[in-house]
Amino acid sequence: MPVVIKIGPEANAKKVRLEIDARQSLNGDVMIFDHGDIDIVLSPSTNKVVAFPKETMSDMVYGAQNRLMTQLFKKGVLVPESIQAGSYFGALEGSIQESANPDINGAKLALINISQFIEEERPYFENKEAIISMTDDELIHPENEDSTELGEVPQSTEKGSMRRQFVRDPYALNYIYTV
């Protein structure tokens, strides 16, 4: 079921349809959960865009945040000197520029550009999820040549390369045979 999110006055507004996983909070902020590494919050009341890490902060998360802020800066949506660390650990935020044209709403323009950013990034994080899923499938359901059935390996008294009779002497760096 599509959710309609309204930002700002609707007078003389063009309709743009975006297909994103987003919710509107009680104070009117738009929370976007479509990206694989980050959650994005667009706050029309404070004119800010904040990118939060989904789970843990890592280089991949910072890279996604940096690419988002760079794209919004290059499109002319964010004030370049306002991009900074947020008050939450691992968050990155930037202020939306004030529009010289009163007919253009900065928050709507930011939402459109965030949607374009997510669509550009989608093949990357979908491919990453497919690789993780494929690795899990290989561990859970291995191929016939990579596995043995129960009882196929014959029993023997000694197996492997480490024999328990050999003890390494840490001082002389040689092996001593003990019985």
Side-chain angles (χ1 to χ4, degrees), residues 3-150:
V3 177
V4 177
I5 297 174
K6 295 182 180 182
I7 300 174
E10 296 295 321
N12 299 327
K14 280 189 171 183
K15 301 280 183 183
V16 176
R17 182 177 175 89
L18 301 174
E19 303 254 344
I20 56 176
D21 180 16
R23 294 183 196 100
Q24 194 163 17
S25 68
L26 290 173
N27 65 351
D29 291 351
V30 179
M31 302 177 295
I32 304 165
F33 304 105
D34 250 0
H35 197 277
D37 294 327
I38 58 175
D39 292 332
I40 305 164
V41 176
L42 171 64
S43 179
S45 60
T46 60
N47 277 344
K48 287 193 178 210
V49 175
V50 185
F52 295 97
K54 273 213 188 280
E55 292 176 10
T56 58
M57 186 64 191
S58 68
D59 290 340
M60 291 174 24
V61 171
Y62 177 73
Q65 291 172 328
N66 191 26
R67 288 189 302 274
L68 171 67
M69 296 298 171
T70 302
Q71 179 168 341
L72 292 177
F73 156 65
K74 287 183 177 179
K75 298 282 185 169
V77 175
L78 293 183
V79 179
E81 57 271 11
S82 72
I83 299 172
Q84 62 185 0
S87 59
Y88 180 81
F89 176 72
L92 201 61
E93 68 179 28
S95 297
I96 300 171
Q97 291 192 21
E98 294 294 324
S99 175
N101 185 349
D103 295 336
I104 298 175
N105 186 338
K108 287 183 181 180
L109 191 62
L111 185 61
I112 292 168
N113 282 291
I114 290 169
S115 175
Q116 288 174 352
F117 168 77
I118 290 172
E119 287 305 314
E120 289 173 8
E121 294 263 316
R122 189 172 308 282
Y124 163 73
F125 55 81
E126 284 180 351
N127 186 28
K128 185 175 86 171
E129 289 172 5
I131 289 172
I132 291 170
S133 174
M134 187 171 60
T135 305
D136 289 347
D137 286 344
E138 287 177 359
L139 291 173
I140 296 170
H141 305 291
E143 298 292 326
N144 286 337
E145 63 266 5
D146 296 331
S147 66
T148 58
E149 290 296 323
L150 185 62

